[in-house]
Every structure is written in C-alpha cells, then in structure tokens.
Amino acid sequence: MNTIRAAFLAVTALAGACLDANAKPADWKQLTKDFCTAQQAMAVCDGLIMRMDTEDRFNAKNGFQVRNREDDESRTICLNAIAAFKPGPASCAKALQDYGCQGQKHPKLLMESRRTGTTCPY
C-alpha cells in the first residue's frame, strides 16, 4: 500500500511540475475586475481600506497574479474596472456591499477603516 501511495505522490508531483505556470482559473477575468474595482474604491472612498497583504493572499488563493504587468489582457481588464468606478457615496456604499467583510460579490477585499475591533483579513 505504501508503494502505491508513493507512486501516486510521485506522479502527482510530476504532473504538477508540468502545469503551465501561466494557467489561470476559468473566472480570472471576473476576479481581476473585482479586485481592481475594490482597489479603486479604496483609493477614492473615505473610510474604505484594503489590507497590505490582501493582494498576495488573493493571488495565492486564486492561483494567478491579478495585476500582471506582463499580461496585456489582465492590465486592460484592470484599467477598465478602475475607469468604470465613479466616485461618490452610492458607488462607495456599493463597493462595501460587494467587497466588504460580508461582501455579496467577493468578500473581504475591503473593510471599513473607522471600524474598531475585529478585522476581516482575506
């Protein structure tokens, strides 16, 4: 049984090494749009912040680099999301609703800076 398990682990490791390093999840475009929208909300909305480690955790969880300067399509999606975000109270409230600690779209990308007590790390 240990021989079979060892063989399985060896094959799995070998297969993992052969995977495309640039492979992205099927929903990478939406993930990129969500992340960049949340980041723009943080930049223009008073009281919204993103933890410094969120991008690294996001990348690790989703298996790709969300802001890849080498990838024109990724950069375009991000720039379009940033340009589409219109500053104002309604947009900021929507961003918190979508990306805040209990976000409906992609939770824990943003949190309120005025909030005391618990935080919601990504």
Side-chain angles (χ1 to χ4, degrees):
M1 190 63 144
N2 285 338
T3 305
I4 293 172
R5 185 178 309 157
F8 175 76
L9 290 174
V11 169
T12 303
L14 187 58
C18 296
L19 290 176
D20 181 6
N22 297 320
K24 297 177 184 172
D27 60 346
W28 76 271
K29 290 180 181 181
Q30 185 62 50
L31 290 168
T32 300
K33 181 181 177 191
D34 288 346
F35 183 87
C36 292
T37 300
Q39 190 173 48
Q40 182 65 8
M42 177 196 64
V44 300
C45 298
D46 287 338
L48 294 183
I49 60 171
M50 182 182 286
R51 290 173 49 102
M52 291 179 67
D53 61 349
T54 297
E55 185 169 357
D56 289 338
R57 289 175 182 241
F58 182 93
N59 290 343
K61 177 183 177 188
N62 294 297
F64 76 107
Q65 186 176 348
V66 68
R67 292 189 307 153
N68 184 348
R69 288 173 171 69
E70 305 295 318
D71 182 347
D72 289 338
E73 189 174 14
S74 179
R75 189 172 51 243
T76 298
I77 291 167
C78 195
L79 289 174
N80 287 339
I82 289 169
F85 190 87
K86 303 299 179 212
S91 295
C92 294
K94 176 78 169 127
L96 187 60
Q97 180 182 358
D98 288 346
Y99 310 116
C101 291
Q102 278 75 42
Q104 296 174 354
K105 206 170 190 185
H106 202 115
K108 300 183 178 184
L109 287 176
L110 294 173
M111 59 186 165
E112 294 178 88
S113 63
R114 292 185 204 102
R115 209 174 142 172
T116 58
T118 55
T119 61
C120 59
Y122 189 81

